[in-house]
Amino acid sequence: MTEILLRAAKEPWEAVSAANVLKANTIANNSGNLLFGQSVYRMLSAPGVSVTPDRYETHRTQSPSEHAAWINESFDHFVIPLANAFRPAFRPALRRLTRVIRRLKVPVTVIGVGSQHKLDGSATDDELAQDVKKFMSAVLDRSVSVGVRGDRTAEFLATLGFAGDQVEVIGCPSVFLNGQPKVVEKPVPSISTGSKIAMTISPYVGKLNVVVESHTQRYPNLIYVPQNLKDLNMMVWGEDRSAPKNPWNPTHVAHPLYVEDRMRFPLDPRTWVEYLSDFDFVFGSRIHGSIAGILAGVPTSLVVHDSRTLELAEYHAIPHTQLSAINSKTDAMRLFEETDYSKYNARVPEIQQTLAKFLETNGLSHILNESDADTEFDRKLADAKLPDMVTTLYTAQNEGRAAIADRIRVLRQEQAALEERMEKIENHLENFSVEKEVRKLAGSLRRRAVSKLRMKK
């Protein structure tokens, strides 16, 4: 049996509640991370292979030597799916990953890593470049090549001295989450104001606020699908994610999308894709929010605002619009009309073969090319009871009310646990005697002193 350690949040069939996601940050700040991690998990689930998620411990560990020793002793291969890891905010995690990798004796394969730059071509800072060089060198000492998201990342790595066969453009593995991707087609020639639309927005992209405003007002059946941990906290506990200058930024609980219960947060890839399958159109700036729509077979339009989203849109031929073209007149009906998936559908076989070759070159067995594979992975995932999309506190449906009741129970359990801990502390303080503790300390010091004297003799 080949034992593979995979950088991933959890087992794909493992249910994690919203409260526990918030406690442990199992989505690593963004639920989009679940998509590509689970996709790689499935494609590596070949006969004779056992896959174990590292639960993100590798990029969080403060004990690289111990963690590396565990990997060397327990696994035959370490596979690391990544997203836009070459960015300043991920630098501490990248350094921790590098420290672990340098201590590994087993092969290491990085899948789908990307750099993040502005569309104006702004360069990455020198300190980050040095961290990326150290990471790439450590990985390439233990692998044949590194799989990157697109040409812009490949060009960036070439400036650092990594080129040729060392770097392969493979896109994002998340498009193969369920094996053979669905063909994306328009079920209707046009949409209307009454159509079911899912919107994915990056709240830090201020230019999109005008789009949120117009679409919230014009499309009553529009649902906003946020992805960040702060968004989840806002939806579960009713705490503002931020105090935005623009009230149409959907990061506060007074926003119409929150008050009208028109937000849904995904906790799991399967339920996310299933939820979107009932929509007519998906649009917005989130790359994995867009890929979730594509996986559901729904026409999807991506708004690109930096290199990480643009290079994936170009490589996979995902219909997209650059942020510079977005304004107050941007409308979902027009975006839908301009959305054409013929190039995307046609590129799938080539992209699939490129990814398969990359895996094989790096010594990994896979089931990527088995279009109708009935695997143990698929059966276990189909049987799993996974959490529904998270609602806001204003939800009116019975299922939503049940979810809120669950949240109240969590609060009560945490309160009871806190009360129990406080009681133990109070009992300890009641029995605490300063005089007694001083005598114990003095006796301990006296015994140490006597012991040292005897050793000197």
Side-chain angles (χ1 to χ4, degrees), residues 159-274:
T159 66
L160 302 181
F162 304 101
D165 294 339
Q166 291 180 312
V167 177
E168 296 186 54
V169 177
I170 61 171
C172 184
S174 59
V175 297
F176 300 103
L177 177 75
N178 298 319
Q180 192 70 20
K182 288 184 177 181
V183 173
V184 183
E185 295 177 333
K186 290 181 180 178
V188 292
S190 62
I191 60 173
S192 67
T193 55
S195 296
K196 289 193 66 174
I197 297 174
M199 180 175 65
T200 69
I201 293 295
S202 308
Y204 51 85
V205 182
K207 192 173 182 180
L208 295 174
N209 288 328
V210 293
V211 176
V212 176
E213 178 181 2
S214 62
H215 286 72
T216 298
Q217 296 173 336
R218 190 175 186 194
Y219 294 91
N221 294 320
L222 177 141
I223 298 292
Y224 169 46
V225 184
Q227 294 177 205
N228 281 14
L229 194 72
K230 290 181 179 179
D231 297 307
L232 178 60
N233 186 69
M234 178 179 70
M235 293 182 68
V236 172
W237 302 125
E239 297 179 8
D240 287 338
R241 171 183 166 164
S242 67
K245 294 180 180 179
N246 188 318
W248 284 103
N249 190 296
T251 57
H252 59 100
V253 297
H255 196 285
L257 290 172
Y258 189 94
V259 175
E260 296 168 14
D261 191 33
R262 294 164 61 192
M263 292 184 180
R264 291 294 181 273
F265 192 97
L267 296 177
D268 184 86
R270 194 198 76 187
T271 50
W272 188 358
V273 173
E274 289 173 349

Side-chain angles (χ1 to χ4, degrees), residues 34-84:
L34 299 174
L35 287 179
F36 58 83
Q38 183 162 311
S39 179
V40 176
Y41 196 121
R42 183 191 184 278
M43 67 181 64
L44 296 180
S45 296
V49 176
S50 175
V51 181
T52 302
D54 76 341
R55 301 181 184 276
Y56 293 147
E57 177 61 26
T58 308
H59 80 248
R60 294 170 174 168
T61 183
Q62 299 298 321
S63 304
S65 296
E66 293 180 12
H67 192 74
W70 171 67
I71 296 175
N72 287 327
E73 181 180 349
S74 307
F75 300 96
D76 303 303
H77 207 128
F78 183 28
V79 178
I80 311 175
L82 287 170
N84 54 323

Side-chain angles (χ1 to χ4, degrees), residues 2 23 80-81 109 131 160-161 189 340:
T2 300
K23 283 182 182 178
I80 311 175
T109 302
D131 287 332
L160 302 181
D340 181 359

Side-chain angles (χ1 to χ4, degrees), residues 433-444 446:
S433 167
V434 174
E435 184 180 350
K436 181 179 179 181
E437 293 300 320
V438 169
R439 285 200 302 270
K440 286 171 59 178
L441 178 60
S444 176
R446 186 166 53 251

Side-chain angles (χ1 to χ4, degrees), residues 103-382:
R103 293 168 167 82
L104 294 182
K105 299 176 183 178
V106 301
V108 176
T109 302
V110 171
I111 300 178
V113 67
S115 58
Q116 182 173 332
H117 318 279
K118 295 180 180 179
L119 291 181
D120 62 8
S122 300
T124 304
D125 64 86
D126 292 338
E127 186 178 2
L128 177 61
Q130 292 304 311
D131 287 332
V132 172
K133 287 181 70 172
K134 293 174 183 178
F135 173 80
M136 289 290 294
S137 297
V139 172
L140 287 169
D141 283 344
R142 294 156 182 83
S143 66
V144 176
S145 58
V146 169
V148 301
R149 299 174 87 175
D151 291 332
R152 282 167 172 73
T153 298
E155 291 166 2
F156 164 63
L157 291 176
T159 66
L160 302 181
F162 304 101
D165 294 339
Q166 291 180 312
V167 177
E168 296 186 54
V169 177
I170 61 171
C172 184
S174 59
V175 297
F176 300 103
L177 177 75
N178 298 319
Q180 192 70 20
K182 288 184 177 181
V183 173
V184 183
E185 295 177 333
K186 290 181 180 178
V188 292
S190 62
I191 60 173
S192 67
T193 55
S195 296
K196 289 193 66 174
I197 297 174
M199 180 175 65
T200 69
I201 293 295
S202 308
Y204 51 85
V205 182
K207 192 173 182 180
L208 295 174
N209 288 328
V210 293
V211 176
V212 176
E213 178 181 2
S214 62
H215 286 72
T216 298
Q217 296 173 336
R218 190 175 186 194
Y219 294 91
N221 294 320
L222 177 141
I223 298 292
Y224 169 46
V225 184
Q227 294 177 205
N228 281 14
L229 194 72
K230 290 181 179 179
D231 297 307
L232 178 60
N233 186 69
M234 178 179 70
M235 293 182 68
V236 172
W237 302 125
E239 297 179 8
D240 287 338
R241 171 183 166 164
S242 67
K245 294 180 180 179
N246 188 318
W248 284 103
N249 190 296
T251 57
H252 59 100
V253 297
H255 196 285
L257 290 172
Y258 189 94
V259 175
E260 296 168 14
D261 191 33
R262 294 164 61 192
M263 292 184 180
R264 291 294 181 273
F265 192 97
L267 296 177
D268 184 86
R270 194 198 76 187
T271 50
W272 188 358
V273 173
E274 289 173 349
Y275 176 75
L276 291 177
S277 64
D278 191 38
F279 281 73
D280 301 307
F281 186 49
V282 176
F283 82 96
S285 58
R286 291 288 193 184
I287 182 60
H288 287 106
S290 297
I291 289 177
I294 294 169
L295 289 165
V298 178
T300 300
S301 179
L302 173 67
V303 176
V304 298
H305 59 90
D306 59 15
S307 65
R308 59 176 171 152
T309 49
L310 180 58
E311 68 177 353
L312 281 177
E314 291 175 335
Y315 182 74
H316 289 283
I318 297 172
H320 61 279
T321 302
Q322 292 210 18
L323 183 65
S324 58
I326 298 297
N327 54 49
S328 60
K329 296 182 180 179
T330 299
D331 189 82
M333 291 186 196
R334 182 66 178 272
L335 292 175
F336 182 89
E337 289 176 4
E338 297 172 350
T339 299
D340 181 359
Y341 268 82
S342 57
K343 290 183 179 179
Y344 170 87
N345 293 327
R347 273 190 58 74
V348 166
E350 179 186 350
I351 290 172
Q352 190 170 8
Q353 291 309 308
T354 298
L355 179 54
K357 183 179 178 182
F358 169 79
L359 295 173
E360 292 160 9
T361 299
N362 283 278
L364 291 165
S365 300
H366 63 87
I367 58 170
L368 187 59
N369 292 333
E370 299 178 30
S371 58
D372 58 350
D374 181 20
T375 67
E376 181 183 1
F377 178 98
D378 295 323
R379 291 190 293 273
K380 289 179 70 172
L381 186 59

Side-chain angles (χ1 to χ4, degrees), residues 87-106:
R87 70 185 195 277
F90 196 73
R91 180 185 294 133
L94 192 68
R95 288 174 174 172
R96 287 191 290 270
L97 270 173
T98 303
R99 286 195 286 269
V100 172
I101 293 169
R102 281 176 170 170
R103 293 168 167 82
L104 294 182
K105 299 176 183 178
V106 301

